[in-house]
Amino acid sequence: MLRYFTIRQSIGIMLVAVFLFTSAIISAYLVYDRYTSSKQQLSNELIQTVRSGAQQQFAIYFSDKEVLLQSIDNLLKHSSVEYAAVYDRLGTIITSRTREESKELPTDFSQIRTDFSTLDVTQIERESPISGGNVIEMSAPIFSPVNPYQKNISRNTFGAQLANARNQGAQNVLGYYVIGVSTEALRGNVYGYAAKVAAVCFVLFLVVIYLTLMVTHKITAPLANLAQLADDIADGKLDNTFKTQGSGEARRIAGMLNLVLSDLSSHKAKMDVESQLLNMKVDERTEQLSRRNQELNQAVQQVTQAKDRMRKLAYYDSLTSLPNRQLFTEQLELLLKISKREKSNIALLFLDLDNFKRINDSLGHTAGDMLLREVGARLSNCVRESDLISQYFDGESKIDVSRLGGDEFTVVLNKLDEAKTAGVVAERLLESLQAPMLIEGHEIVITPSIGIAIAPQDATSVKDLLKRADTAMYHAKTSGKNSFSFYSSAMKGTSVGRLKLEADLRRAVERQEMTLYFQPQVNIETGEISGAEALIRWNHPEHGLVSPARFIPLAEEMGLIVQIGAWTLLEACRQCKAFHDKGLKLPKVAVNVSSLQFNAAFIELVKQVLIESQLEPKLLELELTEGVIMSNAKASIQALHELKSLGCTLSVDDFGTGYSSLSYLSRFPLDELKIDRSFVVDYDKSDNNASLVSAIIAMGKSLNLRMVAEGVDDIAQFHFLREQGIQIIQGYLFSQPVPSDEFALLMADAPFKQQIDDMMKD
């Protein structure tokens, strides 16, 4: 059918195109001829009007404007005339008139007729000085037999000369008529004629289309039947026969095609039978293959699942389902190669959870595992919510968040645009862990320390990049924890020094490098020493005394704080017993208890120390921070009662910096509250600070607790605390921490009574 319509349309389009082309040429010729004849007819009519009669000659010769204006008005009656003017023989304008009275014609005849000598009528198409459109400007000379150069000719004489010379040819030019005919008006007169021609052509066009359709249909009808028959054969319809009218080649072709159709029909019937038999065999084989394929798919699925499980065990952490160290190392090595080729940056964020060991020791490993799972989920959602870590291995394994082991996690940022973007992600990671986690009924807030290293500027291998990020992480941890740090070359020496310090700290207790200093607690009413706080110091063989602020956090991270704490407790009790054996009656010795020490085993340790040192239990005071006893308040109450039953006294250190509940404090078997140094130092910064110290003291007294102010360094603080009712003060105002032998001299000399009397006089 497509071929039939194409032939039919081609014939029709060809005939229509020929007719349209012929009609266009004839129409254009007729319209143009009408326009030309109209223009010539108007020109002849106007020239005949201005040259008719002797009255025009009289008016031009005697410059009779009234007569000339009447003549011009007759010219303007033609709709195509836009303006007219009369000039004398010298080109000076006599009079003129236009359709727009506000506009005038140029008076200089040279702008209109450049050649004065010509005697012919001129027609020039130019821009109209009146309307701005195009006009055909006709310039017609007016002839007279009278010599225009004669002077003082009267009208009668002029008329007589005209009468005498009537039969003679006109030889003299009296003046000129200039007439402007609008070309647009001329064309407008032809538009009606053009419309009639177009209408006739359109009618003829419709007739031609009709005749064309009739002719092409008659010519192409047999071809249409052939095309339909071809479509039927292609569709397998062999029952139809080819029918056509007339005689000739079409009828002979029809007979041949019908014979072919008959043969094809019989052959098709035979093929249908064979095809049916073949289909039955194929269906049988297909069913067999389907069963075999189903069995094979089940086997493949089992193998794939087993492979996935093996991959998962090999490449994913079983606790958090995050990529493990093996997958992290392989994928990061690949990413480093790609970044080297594409010259892009990769950021590695190394996270270590602060004080995670304390949670394991306090709540057990089950709670620790639950916390690690929650941390992994928060980090994954924080880095990319739309790309959670997959549970099974595939070719596109992501290592956005990985767990290397323990409480160490890594975050990889690929194709980093700039380094500060890693800092933005690190801040988001810190923020994601700020919300408390509910673990076995306990609200726990865990903070991370994050180290950031950038490849390739910091390192180009997995090993070195991980080492740089780990170094930066330790720098963040030593800078206060719950923060992040970018790696810099300056940290390399710090990292090496830290490793050496860790190694030295492990051997410090064995080498007896630890020593105790004592800081007195002074009763400002009597000037006597009411107790002492035992403070550990590390006498390093190379660096001298190492500050506790430097090695205590390191000992907690390394897990040595329990061993160091046990040594401190035993040594403090032995020294206190030694003071008493020398006759120096120290009322009590206070020992700080780390959060990692305070567990069920600590109570047994206190029992053994008291037995081994033979110190009276009432002389031992155990100092615990608010955070330690409030981390698990119910368990702390039981443990504190057990310690109290041993005869020891209990003190809350750094009171005011935590979030103690007053109801819990009243249930704790406490003996003493120590006001944190920060409140003492800042008491005079504002009225609120001073009021806060007063409130803490009042609360402690309401609970019948002994109040101790630590960190008192100047006389103003002394007077303020004394006015608030504080009796026991500890600080540099009286003495800094000193070795045991110097502390023995302080107890023997009792120098604080005189010092207090002197301060009271100031």
Side-chain angles (χ1 to χ4, degrees):
M1 294 298 292
L2 180 61
R3 186 175 181 183
Y4 154 68
F5 281 116
T6 301
I7 295 174
R8 183 176 181 181
Q9 290 175 355
S10 299
I11 295 174
I13 291 172
M14 180 180 68
L15 294 176
V16 170
V18 171
F19 174 77
L20 287 177
F21 179 73
T22 305
S23 299
I25 293 176
I26 295 174
S27 299
Y29 173 76
L30 292 175
V31 173
Y32 179 75
D33 181 69
R34 182 62 176 265
Y35 172 76
T36 305
S37 62
S38 297
K39 181 175 68 172
Q40 188 61 39
Q41 182 181 354
L42 179 61
S43 175
N44 294 338
E45 183 180 346
L46 294 175
I47 298 302
Q48 183 66 29
T49 299
V50 299
R51 286 182 173 179
S52 63
Q55 188 178 3
Q56 298 291 341
Q57 300 177 27
F58 272 101
I60 293 174
Y61 183 82
F62 292 104
S63 300
D64 191 345
K65 295 184 178 181
E66 184 176 353
V67 174
L68 293 174
L69 287 175
Q70 291 178 358
S71 177
I72 291 174
D73 288 341
N74 290 332
L75 296 175
L76 291 175
K77 290 180 180 179
H78 292 275
S79 60
S80 302
V81 177
E82 193 171 300
Y83 60 87
V86 182
Y87 295 82
D88 61 12
R89 65 184 180 279
L90 298 178
T92 302
I93 192 168
I94 299 174
T95 186
S96 65
R97 180 163 289 177
T98 66
R99 288 192 179 277
E100 298 183 18
E101 297 181 357
S102 60
K103 297 185 179 180
E104 296 181 356
L105 293 173
T107 58
D108 187 1
F109 190 65
S110 63
Q111 298 179 7
I112 301 171
R113 190 180 182 96
T114 58
D115 188 2
F116 287 179
S117 62
T118 181
L119 301 179
D120 297 329
V121 176
T122 62
Q123 292 185 10
I124 302 174
E125 186 171 347
R126 64 175 61 183
E127 183 180 353
S128 172
I130 303 304
S131 63
N134 289 339
V135 296
I136 299 173
E137 193 172 75
M138 295 181 293
S139 176
I142 306 300
F143 300 105
S144 176
V146 180
N147 186 359
Y149 292 98
Q150 296 181 17
K151 297 181 180 181
N152 300 321
I153 299 177
S154 65
R155 289 182 178 271
N156 293 331
T157 303
F158 189 86
Q161 289 184 6
L162 283 177
N164 294 332
R166 186 179 300 276
N167 297 324
Q168 299 178 4
Q171 300 295 328
N172 301 304
V173 177
L174 287 179
Y176 299 88
Y177 262 87
V178 176
I179 304 169
V181 179
S182 173
T183 58
E184 183 177 357
L186 283 175
R187 288 192 294 270
N189 295 332
V190 183
Y191 287 159
Y193 178 76
K196 293 178 181 179
V197 173
V200 173
C201 290
F202 180 72
V203 172
L204 292 176
F205 175 70
L206 294 178
V207 173
V208 170
I209 289 178
Y210 176 74
L211 294 176
T212 300
L213 292 175
M214 295 291 292
V215 172
T216 54
H217 176 73
K218 187 174 182 180
I219 294 173
T220 58
L223 297 177
N225 292 334
L226 287 174
Q228 181 62 47
L229 182 61
D231 290 340
D232 292 341
I233 294 174
D235 294 337
K237 299 177 181 178
L238 303 178
D239 299 333
N240 299 330
T241 58
F242 182 71
K243 299 178 181 179
T244 184
Q245 297 178 354
S247 59
E249 295 180 355
R251 182 171 293 277
R252 288 196 297 271
I253 293 174
M256 294 176 62
L257 288 176
N258 290 331
L259 182 60
V260 171
L261 286 175
S262 177
D263 292 340
L264 288 175
S265 179
S266 61
H267 182 69
K268 179 177 180 296
K270 181 180 179 180
M271 293 295 295
D272 288 342
V273 174
E274 294 179 354
S275 177
Q276 187 175 3
L277 295 175
L278 180 61
N279 288 336
M280 293 175 62
K281 293 181 180 180
V282 169
D283 291 341
E284 182 180 357
R285 294 295 184 184
T286 301
E287 185 179 357
Q288 294 176 358
L289 290 174
S290 177
R291 290 197 300 269
R292 296 291 179 84
N293 189 47
Q294 185 176 3
E295 295 173 357
L296 180 60
N297 288 337
Q298 291 178 352
V300 171
Q301 185 177 4
Q302 293 175 358
V303 172
T304 302
Q305 291 176 353
K307 181 180 178 181
D308 290 341
R309 286 194 294 270
M310 292 177 62
R311 285 290 189 182
K312 182 181 177 182
L313 293 174
Y315 287 102
Y316 287 89
D317 175 46
S318 59
L319 178 63
T320 62
S321 296
L322 296 176
N324 60 14
R325 182 181 290 271
Q326 179 68 25
L327 179 57
F328 165 80
T329 303
E330 293 181 4
Q331 292 294 318
L332 182 56
E333 186 174 0
L334 178 60
L335 288 177
L336 288 174
K337 292 179 181 178
I338 295 175
S339 68
K340 182 179 180 181
R341 182 173 65 249
E342 297 179 352
K343 296 182 179 179
S344 59
N345 295 328
I346 293 178
L348 174 60
L349 284 67
F350 190 93
L351 292 83
D352 183 84
L353 302 182
D354 301 327
N355 302 321
F356 176 73
K357 190 175 185 302
R358 179 194 306 172
I359 296 174
N360 261 347
D361 294 340
S362 302
L363 303 180
H365 290 282
T366 302
D369 291 344
M370 295 173 63
L371 183 140
L372 289 175
R373 279 195 292 268
E374 177 65 19
V375 169
R378 290 193 184 186
L379 295 180
S380 298
N381 293 332
C382 181
V383 172
R384 185 178 297 172
E385 294 181 358
S386 62
D387 190 17
L388 295 178
I389 303 303
S390 60
Q391 299 294 322
Y392 300 102
F393 179 82
D394 54 40
E396 298 294 332
S397 298
K398 302 292 184 181
I399 54 169
D400 297 345
V401 180
S402 304
R403 182 191 177 209
L404 301 189
D407 59 340
E408 295 177 345
F409 295 84
T410 58
V411 175
V412 176
L413 304 178
N414 192 21
K415 295 184 179 179
L416 199 67
D417 51 354
E418 52 184 348
K420 67 179 182 180
T421 303
V424 174
V425 175
E427 290 177 353
R428 194 159 65 244
L429 296 176
L430 294 173
E431 184 179 354
S432 69
L433 296 181
Q434 287 181 358
M437 304 177 190
L438 187 62
I439 306 296
E440 293 186 343
H442 304 285
E443 284 193 355
I444 299 175
V445 176
I446 192 73
T447 60
S449 295
I450 305 175
I452 305 174
I454 309 295
Q457 67 183 45
D458 294 333
T460 57
S461 66
V462 175
K463 180 181 178 181
D464 292 340
L465 189 64
L466 194 59
K467 184 185 297 183
R468 303 291 187 271
D470 182 60
T471 300
M473 182 274 294
Y474 275 112
H475 185 270
K477 192 176 289 290
T478 56
S479 299
K481 302 179 180 180
N482 195 25
S483 62
F484 67 90
S485 294
F486 282 90
Y487 174 79
S488 65
S489 57
M491 296 180 183
K492 187 174 181 181
T494 304
S495 177
V496 175
R498 175 189 171 89
L499 292 175
K500 187 175 185 306
L501 192 65
E502 289 180 0
D504 292 344
L505 184 59
R506 293 183 186 278
R507 297 187 293 268
V509 178
E510 301 172 2
R511 295 178 177 179
Q512 298 182 351
E513 295 175 0
M514 297 296 179
T515 185
L516 285 185
Y517 276 44
F518 297 87
Q519 187 173 33
Q521 298 174 346
V522 181
N523 188 322
I524 59 176
E525 297 294 334
T526 63
E528 297 177 352
I529 296 177
S530 62
E533 182 177 0
L535 301 169
I536 190 170
R537 295 292 185 267
W538 180 12
N539 190 9
H540 195 280
E542 297 179 7
H543 306 297
L545 287 177
V546 180
S547 170
R550 185 179 179 188
F551 72 84
I552 291 297
L554 185 61
E556 290 180 343
E557 294 175 15
M558 297 172 59
L560 297 177
I561 191 64
V562 175
Q563 180 183 359
I564 294 176
W567 178 89
T568 302
L569 180 63
L570 178 60
E571 187 64 22
C573 291
R574 285 177 177 175
Q575 192 62 58
C576 183
K577 183 66 169 62
F579 288 148
H580 279 265
D581 292 342
K582 294 179 181 179
L584 301 174
K585 303 299 182 180
L586 180 63
K588 64 182 178 67
V589 60
V591 178
N592 289 293
V593 180
S594 169
S595 59
L596 299 179
Q597 288 179 272
F598 191 60
N599 50 36
F602 179 72
I603 299 174
E604 294 299 323
L605 174 65
V606 173
K607 292 179 181 179
Q608 294 177 6
V609 167
L610 291 175
I611 295 173
E612 183 176 347
S613 63
Q614 298 181 358
L615 182 70
E616 295 183 38
K618 66 178 182 179
L619 300 180
L620 175 61
E621 182 177 74
L622 301 174
E623 292 188 359
L624 301 99
T625 63
E626 284 182 272
V628 172
I629 62 176
M630 292 302 299
S631 61
N632 190 351
K634 293 182 180 180
S636 296
I637 292 175
Q638 181 180 355
L640 292 176
H641 276 288
E642 292 184 20
L643 291 173
K644 189 71 175 176
S645 64
L646 296 177
C648 303
T649 59
L650 302 175
S651 173
V652 177
D653 194 12
D654 300 333
F655 184 75
T657 59
Y659 303 93
S660 297
S661 169
L662 185 60
S663 62
Y664 271 114
L665 282 178
S666 63
R667 295 165 59 186
F668 290 146
L670 302 175
D671 300 288
E672 177 182 281
L673 293 182
K674 294 185 72 174
I675 303 175
D676 186 67
R677 181 179 184 277
S678 61
F679 294 103
V680 176
V681 173
D682 295 336
Y683 85 93
D684 57 348
K685 298 294 178 61
S686 66
D687 294 338
N688 289 336
N689 291 347
S691 299
L692 183 58
V693 175
S694 301
I696 292 174
I697 295 173
M699 182 181 68
K701 289 183 177 181
S702 67
L703 296 174
N704 295 321
L705 299 177
R706 182 171 59 252
M707 301 300 296
V708 178
E710 61 179 342
V712 181
D713 297 337
D714 57 43
I715 298 177
Q717 296 169 358
F718 167 80
H719 286 296
F720 170 75
L721 293 170
R722 184 176 179 277
E723 292 173 0
Q724 300 301 320
I726 289 292
Q727 292 184 345
I728 301 174
I729 287 177
Q730 176 182 342
Y732 278 35
L733 176 65
F734 293 116
S735 174
Q736 63 182 1
V738 295
S740 58
D741 53 349
E742 294 184 23
F743 185 75
L745 295 177
L746 287 177
M747 287 191 294
D749 296 340
F752 302 121
K753 177 62 176 174
Q754 184 61 43
Q755 182 180 356
I756 293 173
D757 291 340
D758 294 340
M759 288 189 295
M760 294 297 295
K761 295 177 182 179
D762 293 340

